[in-house]
């Protein structure tokens, strides 16, 4: 079982007495932004329990799932059933998307997938082996990005800066998203990201 959420089995982290644990709570915070995957997971759990975990018909699929070690006195089936009930309750009573910063690395990457791709793929710790400057790396990204990609990253940078009110928080969460280099000399991280956003917006306009 994974330490953070990510699928029907890994979402099964529950707290004491069946309360939502950290992993399931993180999953549901992300699901508030897009409930569709949670509905799919709930349906998959129902199907899995209806067929039975030890059914030969799905044995190969079950082998691919992360192994779950249920709490003492519980079974894998009872844990999955409880997760399913939490998901159905969430879907029946949707909550507003969280306005607070994500609380786990997985949440940050799920919340800002396109920005994570930009930072992790172009501004990683081996950046200097591939590019002579930050602008060269950014131009390389822009050359292969669609107009839709540019818009998404620009929007994500705006939200990312809004969620990270302090420079310390911004530095930490940027590293989580894959940033492995410092901004250009003499430029603060917040200003550099804002500059990147402006460049992407101008590139989108052609």
């Amino acid at each position: 079982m994974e330490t953070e959420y990510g699928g029907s089995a890994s979402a099964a982290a529950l707290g004491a007495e069946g309360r939502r644990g950290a992993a399931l709570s993180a999953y549901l915070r992300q699901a508030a932004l897009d409930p569709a995957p949670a509905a799919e997971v709930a349906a998959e759990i129902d199907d899995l329990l209806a067929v039975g975990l030890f059914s030969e018909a799905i044995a190969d699929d079950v082998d691919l799932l992360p192994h779950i070690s249920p709490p003492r006195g519980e079974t894998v089936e009872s844990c999955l059933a409880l997760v399913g009930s939490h998901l159905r309750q969430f879907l029946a009573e949707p909550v507003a998307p969280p306005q607070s910063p994500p609380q786990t690395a997985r949440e940050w990457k799920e919340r800002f997938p396109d920005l994570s791709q930009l930072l992790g793929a172009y501004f990683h710790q081996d950046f200097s082996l591939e590019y002579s400057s930050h602008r060269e790396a950014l131009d390389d990204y822009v050359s292969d990005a669609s107009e839709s990609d540019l818009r998404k990253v620009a929007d994500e940078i705006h939200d990312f800066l809004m969620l990270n009110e302090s420079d310390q928080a911004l530095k930490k969460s940027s590293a989580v998203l894959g940033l492995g280099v410092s901004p250009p000399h003499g430029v603060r991280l917040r200003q550099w990201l804002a500059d990147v956003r402006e460049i992407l917006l101008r590139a989108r306009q052609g």
Side-chain angles (χ1 to χ4, degrees):
M1 181 176 176
E2 299 172 1
T3 56
E4 295 177 346
Y5 69 89
S8 59
S10 60
L14 298 168
E17 299 178 355
R19 292 192 296 271
R20 295 175 183 173
L24 184 55
S25 295
Y27 181 88
L28 294 179
R29 283 194 297 272
Q30 186 62 28
L33 299 169
D34 181 10
E40 294 178 4
V41 170
E44 288 176 2
I45 290 176
D46 289 343
D47 291 344
L48 187 60
L49 294 176
V51 174
L53 293 179
F54 300 102
S55 169
E56 293 184 2
I58 62 170
D60 291 341
D61 293 330
V62 170
D63 284 343
L64 297 176
L65 294 174
H67 290 179
I68 298 175
S69 298
R72 180 173 298 179
E74 299 291 340
T75 65
V76 174
E77 290 90 340
S78 66
C79 288
L80 288 174
L82 191 53
V83 170
S85 70
H86 279 290
L87 291 177
R88 286 189 292 275
Q89 180 183 356
F90 164 80
L91 293 167
E93 302 172 1
V95 298
Q99 300 301 314
S100 59
Q103 298 181 29
T104 68
R106 186 74 175 257
E107 281 185 89
W108 277 110
K109 293 176 181 178
E110 291 280 354
R111 185 85 170 265
F112 299 100
D114 295 281
L115 180 56
S116 180
Q117 170 64 21
L118 170 60
L119 296 181
Y122 292 85
F123 297 97
H124 47 75
Q125 59 184 4
D126 295 325
F127 155 87
S128 61
L129 299 178
E130 300 182 42
Y131 303 106
S132 61
S133 67
H134 291 70
R135 185 55 189 263
E136 182 183 356
L138 187 59
D139 286 344
D140 188 23
Y141 169 79
V142 170
S143 68
D144 291 328
S146 66
E147 182 177 340
S148 175
D149 292 334
L150 297 175
R151 176 184 57 78
K152 289 178 181 177
V153 177
D155 289 345
E156 287 186 11
I157 291 175
H158 174 270
D159 294 343
F160 186 68
L161 293 174
M162 293 291 290
L163 281 176
N164 289 279
E165 296 182 354
S166 72
D167 290 344
Q168 182 179 5
L170 182 63
K171 181 178 180 180
K172 181 178 179 180
S173 54
S174 295
V176 168
L177 292 189
L179 181 63
V181 296
S182 299
H185 181 69
V187 181
R188 297 176 63 182
L189 177 57
R190 186 174 299 276
Q191 182 59 56
W192 177 67
L193 287 171
D195 291 344
V196 167
R197 180 173 183 270
E198 289 301 318
I199 292 172
L200 296 178
L201 289 174
R202 287 199 298 270
R204 180 191 168 202
Q205 294 169 358

